[in-house]
Amino acid sequence: MAGNSQRRNRRTSNKKGATVGSGGQRRRGLEGKGPTPPASARKGHVKNRVANAKAKQAHRRQVARRGGKGLSEMVVGRNPVFEALRDGVPATTLYVQQFIDNDERVRDALKLAADRGGINLMEAPRAELDRMTNGLNHQGLVLQVPPYEYAHPEDLAAAAFDDGEDPLIVALDGVTDPRNLGAVVRSVSAFGGHGVVVPERRAAGMTAGAWKTAAGTAARTPVARATNLTRALEAYQKAGITVVGLDADGDTEVHELDALGGPVVIVIGSEGKGLSRLVGETCDHLVRIPMPGGAESLNAGVAAGVVLYEASRRRA
């Protein structure tokens, strides 16, 4: 009834108490939020997705330059895949395109993979192989190989000495093209060398491109990675190995250097810059390849072949 103060939850006073306010939220909501961020920083924007994709690609390239840790490599194409399987390149999976033309190379590759054992055979549509290889001409065959396991520079010399042979090693200074590295590996294998040394930074690594150019010889020719190339060369010198650098301004021509007949490390720089200053100063000899045709320089793979032939001739 009216005026009955005993009713539950009945307000008995018209005086309002303290109420909860907005805490300044309304005031802050009226303030500006600053300049609009660029499209590449706005989540969901097409430019943001492109920027993220580029960042991932850069990260993969950086990991590959550091040795490919955690990254598999791909050998693509019928002949390279066949040669890699034939020469014992370590592999985990062979991808075969659906409805592929079953020619002799394909049959031989499948037989080699089956005979070796431990290699998974996977059938995939062409679109998937195109995606895996970034549009390379895979010809329906893609071989996945595990990340390359680099040797230590001292292991190359030790293996040669253990076999009773004088070490014949090629070191690369500033060579950044994996195809050049693969060509050098192939030349070292052809002329009986004991391995290749590459720096850890600013240098090509044993990527799929190097595997392909090496044409399977990388399976039997070790590649070592040096944290510091100059210190690695000094360690070779302490072990009684002569360090010979190729330089266009070298005092001696290659065929005149008797040291090539003994334990030697041949250092080859990039085609454009040549040897770096510290590496050049570390070398015991600087030699040049005579080029009467007038060419200014040779790429690393060709230069390595010329000097390795001379070293092999002297050893024979």
Side-chain angles (χ1 to χ4, degrees):
M1 58 181 296
N4 187 354
S5 61
Q6 301 302 314
R7 276 175 33 188
R8 184 175 299 178
N9 298 329
R10 178 180 176 83
R11 191 174 66 194
T12 58
S13 172
N14 290 329
K15 185 177 180 181
K16 294 184 179 180
T19 59
V20 178
S22 68
Q25 293 181 15
R26 296 191 184 95
R27 183 176 64 254
R28 285 195 295 269
L30 296 175
E31 296 177 354
K33 296 182 179 181
T36 302
S40 59
R42 296 203 297 272
K43 186 176 180 180
H45 195 282
V46 62
K47 291 187 176 181
N48 177 255
R49 294 195 295 270
V50 171
N52 289 339
K54 289 182 177 180
K56 290 179 180 179
Q57 291 176 358
H59 175 71
R60 286 195 292 267
R61 288 194 295 268
Q62 184 179 22
V63 173
R65 287 195 296 268
R66 293 177 179 175
K69 296 180 179 178
L71 287 182
S72 295
E73 294 292 342
M74 298 290 181
V75 177
V76 302
R78 298 184 183 186
N79 282 334
V81 166
F82 168 77
E83 292 169 354
L85 289 169
R86 180 195 61 194
D87 294 329
V89 173
T92 56
T93 306
L94 174 60
Y95 294 93
V96 184
Q97 180 181 314
Q98 290 176 343
F99 314 116
I100 189 174
D101 292 334
N102 196 12
D103 65 5
E104 183 179 359
R105 265 294 182 256
V106 173
R107 290 193 296 271
D108 290 343
L110 291 172
K111 185 178 184 304
L112 285 171
D115 291 344
R116 279 180 53 177
I119 300 178
N120 299 317
L121 295 177
M122 303 288 292
E123 191 176 40
R126 180 184 179 88
E128 177 63 15
L129 296 185
D130 290 342
R131 184 194 65 78
M132 290 171 53
T133 61
N134 291 323
L136 293 177
N137 184 22
H138 51 74
Q139 299 175 309
L141 288 184
V142 177
L143 185 68
Q144 185 177 39
V145 302
Y148 188 82
E149 294 184 8
Y150 291 92
H152 190 278
E154 295 178 2
D155 296 340
L156 307 184
F161 285 133
D162 290 344
D163 291 337
E165 300 176 353
D166 288 333
L168 176 57
I169 299 167
V170 173
L172 301 181
D173 179 26
V175 175
T176 57
D177 189 341
R179 293 169 296 183
N180 268 336
L181 172 57
V184 171
V185 170
R186 190 170 185 173
S187 294
V188 170
S189 177
F191 293 107
H194 298 99
V196 180
V197 179
V198 296
E200 188 173 286
R201 300 175 59 191
R202 293 186 294 276
M206 284 303 296
T207 63
W211 275 110
K212 182 175 180 179
T213 309
T217 58
R220 56 180 179 265
T221 303
V223 177
R225 176 161 273 181
T227 304
N228 184 291
L229 183 58
T230 301
R231 286 202 293 266
L233 296 177
E234 292 172 347
Y236 282 138
Q237 290 170 325
K238 291 178 181 178
I241 304 173
T242 303
V243 177
V244 176
L246 280 186
D247 190 285
D249 299 322
D251 298 328
T252 307
E253 292 188 355
V254 168
H255 62 277
E256 298 173 342
L257 187 66
D258 293 334
L260 290 176
V264 64
V265 176
I266 301 164
V267 190
I268 301 173
S270 65
E271 185 175 355
K273 298 181 180 179
L275 300 176
S276 61
R277 181 181 60 83
L278 287 177
V279 169
E281 292 173 354
T282 304
C283 293
D284 298 306
H285 304 279
L286 292 177
V287 299
R288 66 183 184 274
I289 297 175
M291 292 183 287
E296 294 183 359
S297 62
L298 300 173
N299 66 38
V302 175
V306 172
V307 185
L308 286 166
Y309 167 76
E310 178 62 24
S312 176
R313 185 185 67 82
R314 288 178 175 271
R315 290 160 185 257

